[in-house]
Amino acid sequence: TEPDMADQWSAIGNRPDLALVLDELFDLANDTARPRAVIVLGGDIHLGAIHEIHSSHFAHAACPVIWQFTSSPIGANPAAELLDHLSKSDLVELFDPDDWFPLCVTGSGTYSARIAGGTGGLLPVRNFGTLVINRLDSGRRLLVRGTIRGGPREPVRGIALPRDLELSLVYDLTQVCPTTTPITYPTPVPRRRR
């Protein structure tokens, strides 16, 4: 119910436009004549996150999932207090890795999303994102590694939030959909003192 927890696309008045954008992105991801990787890069002044976006449209059966990486401007003041007013049960429900929330409904299906990583999958601190793409093998396979790095964060209602979010995807451009590896939270590497 907190408006700042949602992005502009998922606001009620913008959902018809969101449906058009998602139709186009999923159509590109499911183009069997020209397989490609489709990844959404976004910005938000409040939070950093990685979202898995799902389409139930029959036409998107070959590739029903695309990924969104969202990071905040490093100079923006994060809105960590967005999480502070929630109870522990609210937070557990919010970060449930099996909790899909609806984005929009069209005549041919539903678009939904979930916060990748489950508990603690949000960075309500200053953060920045990087996306590194490397060719594998003969160049028809791509390793895409998205990382959102944040600063230290105190636990909220006893739930520890990570410093970083990371997801690696392997896209085989001879096929329509990627193979994914699980989301991981990197262990911070201590800096050496000089």
Side-chain angles (χ1 to χ4, degrees), residues 43-171:
D44 185 302
I45 62 168
H46 303 302
L47 302 165
I50 300 173
H51 287 90
E52 182 179 358
I53 303 172
H54 182 268
S55 172
S56 70
H57 293 239
F58 177 78
H60 303 153
C63 189
V65 170
I66 61 176
W67 294 90
Q68 173 177 292
F69 294 88
T70 304
S71 66
S72 298
I74 200 162
N77 287 327
E81 67 276 1
L82 291 174
L83 302 180
D84 289 338
H85 75 281
L86 298 175
S87 69
K88 187 169 183 176
S89 62
D90 290 335
L91 286 167
V92 168
E93 184 178 327
L94 176 67
F95 297 141
D96 182 349
D98 296 320
D99 186 21
W100 290 87
F101 53 91
L103 293 174
C104 56
V105 178
T106 67
S108 54
T110 301
Y111 291 111
S112 54
R114 69 177 170 182
I115 301 168
T119 303
L122 296 175
L123 293 180
V125 295
R126 286 191 171 104
N127 61 80
F128 67 94
T130 59
L131 193 68
V132 177
I133 301 171
N134 292 310
R135 291 190 183 275
L136 301 175
D137 308 332
S138 63
R140 294 296 294 165
R141 289 187 336 131
L142 300 177
L143 172 63
V144 178
R145 182 175 173 183
T147 305
I148 302 172
R149 300 208 182 282
R153 173 73 174 128
E154 294 297 319
V156 177
R157 305 283 189 264
I159 294 179
L161 298 176
R163 291 180 58 138
D164 303 313
L165 302 174
E166 180 178 289
L167 180 70
S168 295
L169 305 166
V170 176
Y171 285 88

